[in-house]
Amino acid sequence: MNLGDFLINWIANAPVTAVPYALAALGLIVAERSGVLNLTAEGLMLIGALAGAGTSLLFVGHPAVALLAAMAAASVVSLLFAVLVVVLRINQVIAGLSVVFFCQGLTGLIGTLAKWQNKQLSGLAPLKIWPLSEIPIIGRIFFMQDPVVYLTILIFIAVNFLLFKTMLGLRIRAVGENPGAADAAGVSITLHRILAIVAGSSLIGLAGGYISVVSVKLWVTGMTGGRGWIAVALVVFARWAPWPALAGALLFGCIEALIPHVAAAGIQVPQYLMLMTPYLATIAVMIWVGAKDSRGSQEPGALGQPHVREERR
Amino acid sequence: MASALKLVGIRKSFDGALALDGASFESRAGEVHALLGENGAGKSSLMNVAAGLYAPDAGSISIDGVPIALSGPAAARQHGIGMVHQHFKLVKPFTVAENVLLANPRPHFASGIRNIRAAIEKQVGELKFSIDPDRRIETMTVAEQQQVEIVKVLVGGAKILILDEPTAVLTDAEAVGLLEIVQRLARSGTAVVLVTHKLQDVKRFADAVTIMRGGKTVATLDPRKSSAEELTELTVGQTLPLPVRTPHQGGPTKLNVGALCYTRGDGRTMLNNTSFHIRAGEIYGIAGVSGNGQAELAEALIGAIEPSSGEIWLDGTGDISRASQAKRREAAIAAIPADRYTYALAGSLPISDNLAVAQIRSGRYGGLIKLDRAAMRRDAATAVKDYDVQGVRSVGQKASLLSGGNAQKLVIAREFSRQPQVVVAHSPSRGLDARACAAVHQRLIAARERGAAIVLISEDLDEVLSLSDRIGVMSRGAIVGEFERPADRQAIGRAMVDHG
């Protein structure tokens, strides 16, 4: 195989591997902008992946139905997290980790009991945007992707607009930056935080559903393989801003897409070393974030802090 | 003129403690009505009732003569009551317009921002403020942020404006500017309520004053027809004795701070060749706009931070700028930090432990093995009595249960228990009422009479002026001017801002 084919194959595959990172990171950004430190991505992605695969196997419908089921399932489970951290004000790190472990156990159990392991799913056909898809090279990379890839871009535009150009977004960000000020302005902290967690989690669920239904076309226990954690790191890397998160997701998508192609090209690299690259890249990115100065960061001011009203009524 | 806001017989208790005991208050449109009282007199509580934040246990509220019930802050806003809190309720990374929009919601964001921007510009023009609706709050000074708070309330259509201790965070010049604007606002028909404990502000800017003491409103009078002594007496309940002080003797230099430099972790230079000296039996006051290195100077003097260069020379000991806490204690340096609950007291430990810790190495309370708790309790009981620490049921009770003033008295009792040679006092009367404040000042004067050298770092210019023998003005980490007693307030104020 020549270098040109290698590069085209690699880059054309990158969007598929980037979509889960992008959607999960965006879902986390929505929740964290409301001031809730959200570590649940790995667990909720598994929920989405299982719900998507299960729906495909049980009711052979359009994959879009499976993806909607993935979103709904993750949202429902995230309500548990929302109640823990917003209503009961439990430490957000502990609650987030607990939810991840709970989801790992639950999805493993259901997947095994229902015998959904390793059953081939139909997947989602690429959407050829004719005639642009016929352009050499560019056509393959940009105009022959599956519909979710295009949808992801639309979702980013929509969420960006919602967060920065609507009253709802203004309120969510105010709740995350200074809950005291938001409360004084008559904005319900509880309501907006729960809303942000649940809405964000639907995107995380979509990210998980995409992996099982569209990308891998299988359910395997623990199949998200740490992508949820990488998404958590991506949020820090992107400084809680959507577009940099998309750029970061593409970077990680490229790294992940490289793994099978290196082996396919016959380049001799130890397999485990290759599988390690996304995590090495995560550590490298965190070091880079730590080393550069923190000005311009949009880290929400009240991130991780439960809100307790000071007023004595 | 008809009454705008009228509160009658308001009662409110928190966890059994009565905060408001039948307080009544009436303000009229077109006047600045001051609410004067000591800390804990119930001023803020009463106004929080008016702003709908606290639900009163009893009493009635009426606006323009019509009785109303307030279900919350939103209801108060609808009735035209707006309150600017002491701690601003602003979202720092948001712009001015976004903050105002958050508090005064519009159905759509884009048109809302346009609408709000126009409303802000109208208010800013009328009040002659200097705020740009598109600036971010985090880039603004405290005074500008306060303007935003006022504009935010006025854009909401407030006819009754309550300002809770508005000048507490401002410099003298800023405070005068603000109060002039507030006065103008009242002239245009707004009923302004000025919650304060500063007598000069009341005398200068208020049309009427209601005085509160112990949760009750004790009198309403015309501040221009009443003397300062009369107002003080009503506020405190009795006239406070002024501390007696002998003229300064001009003793030998006790402490010499030479070219002290310190750069903070984020790269900001906080101390930039700070130099001054203090003689024995002298109070050296340090004035300045907050954030000009006063906090770092205090920390360097008490050993909380290590300066990058320069020296702190102490008579008889030498340079102590890098000395350990133990060494500083040995040299009889007493520290009264600004944040007494964090740096001066262990809140969850008993009062007796908090007092004894200063002399724990002296052997007075036993050696390494055995702690003489009886001696600790005995000494603590004496100290509590001598220093008039109120609210102590037993010396075994937690220090955190003491109120601000009494906690400060406890700190002073410990720090003064060993006849200090040098006293470093940072905002020693912050948050204290007039009586506790006077007690603290008396202790400082007494230490001065005994021959100690005292550094008094305070943002309260009145405190610095009334106590100091000499005053150094600090700006950008350096002493930029020194003034002998009696110092000219205006000249100091100019030195504070000219270099800042």
Side-chain angles (χ1 to χ4, degrees), chain B residues 17-82:
Chain B
L18 204 57
L20 293 173
D21 183 9
S24 298
F25 177 85
E26 184 175 4
S27 82
R28 278 177 281 273
E31 65 175 31
V32 177
H33 195 129
L35 190 57
L36 183 71
E38 299 188 271
N39 301 36
K43 302 172 302 228
S44 292
S45 295
L46 184 62
M47 285 305 118
N48 278 332
V49 167
L53 281 166
Y54 296 170
D57 301 337
S60 69
I61 307 168
S62 52
I63 287 175
D64 298 334
V66 185
I68 54 159
L70 295 174
S71 56
R77 255 200 304 276
Q78 272 165 14
H79 282 109
I81 304 173

Side-chain angles (χ1 to χ4, degrees), chain B residues 112-124:
Chain B
I113 282 281
R114 277 197 299 276
N115 181 308
I116 288 288
R117 195 182 284 135
I120 293 171
E121 268 158 7
K122 182 167 164 279
Q123 290 294 344
V124 164

Side-chain angles (χ1 to χ4, degrees), chain A residues 101-118:
Chain A
F101 295 136
F102 168 70
C103 292
Q104 285 174 334
L106 185 72
T107 52
L109 181 72
I110 294 177
T112 313
L113 284 181
K115 300 199 167 51
W116 288 341
Q117 286 263 36
N118 295 320

Side-chain angles (χ1 to χ4, degrees), chain B residues 268-476:
Chain B
R268 244 187 100 190
T269 300
M270 298 313 291
L271 294 179
N272 186 14
N273 286 315
T274 312
S275 299
F276 62 92
H277 71 277
I278 314 172
R279 291 184 289 258
E282 183 179 53
I283 297 183
Y284 187 81
I286 290 182
V289 179
S290 73
N292 272 293
Q294 298 98 313
E296 287 73 14
L297 176 62
E299 284 172 358
L301 288 172
I302 66 179
I305 58 172
E306 190 176 297
S308 43
S309 66
E311 64 155 27
I312 302 170
W313 180 86
L314 180 66
D315 181 35
T317 308
D319 183 20
I320 56 155
S321 61
R322 282 153 193 84
S324 67
Q325 288 295 339
K327 188 119 194 256
R328 283 168 207 257
R329 292 262 155 213
E330 218 173 283
I333 298 179
I336 305 173
D339 186 352
R340 59 190 81 107
Y341 290 108
T342 307
Y343 293 109
L345 292 173
S348 57
L349 292 184
I351 288 173
S352 55
D353 288 16
N354 271 293
L355 279 167
V357 70
Q359 293 191 52
I360 207 72
R361 282 159 182 265
S362 69
R364 187 181 171 87
Y365 302 123
L368 263 178
I369 312 293
K370 194 180 173 302
L371 208 54
D372 186 354
R373 292 214 168 262
M376 280 165 64
R377 276 195 294 272
R378 211 165 42 236
D379 282 3
T382 317
V384 162
K385 197 161 149 279
D386 287 355
Y387 284 80
D388 188 31
V389 185
Q390 300 279 331
V392 179
R393 289 187 309 272
S394 121
V395 291
Q397 95 187 37
K398 286 181 179 180
S400 62
L401 294 175
L402 294 174
S403 72
N406 290 306
Q408 188 70 308
K409 285 182 195 165
L410 185 65
V411 172
I412 292 175
R414 179 186 64 215
E415 295 299 319
F416 284 13
S417 63
R418 294 197 317 152
Q419 305 279 324
Q421 295 299 303
V422 174
V423 179
V424 180
H426 188 193
S427 297
S429 59
R430 178 189 290 177
L432 305 190
D433 60 39
R435 197 194 312 275
C437 188
V440 168
H441 290 172
Q442 260 160 3
R443 292 290 171 186
L444 290 177
I445 298 273
R448 169 188 178 273
E449 298 295 324
R450 237 186 16 244
I454 296 156
V455 193
L456 171 69
I457 303 170
S458 176
E459 270 137 43
D460 183 350
L461 195 50
D462 292 310
E463 180 175 44
V464 172
L465 283 169
S466 72
L467 292 178
S468 310
D469 295 298
R470 273 188 309 141
I471 296 170
V473 173
M474 200 162 181
S475 179
R476 294 187 180 177

Side-chain angles (χ1 to χ4, degrees), chain A residues 165 167 171 178 311-313, chain B residues 14 52-53 90 106 109:
Chain A
K165 298 285 175 215
M167 287 304 290
R171 293 196 177 109
N178 186 345
E311 287 136 19
R312 311 176 291 177
R313 275 193 78 87
Chain B
F14 299 111
L53 281 166
L90 294 171
R106 299 285 186 268
F109 182 81

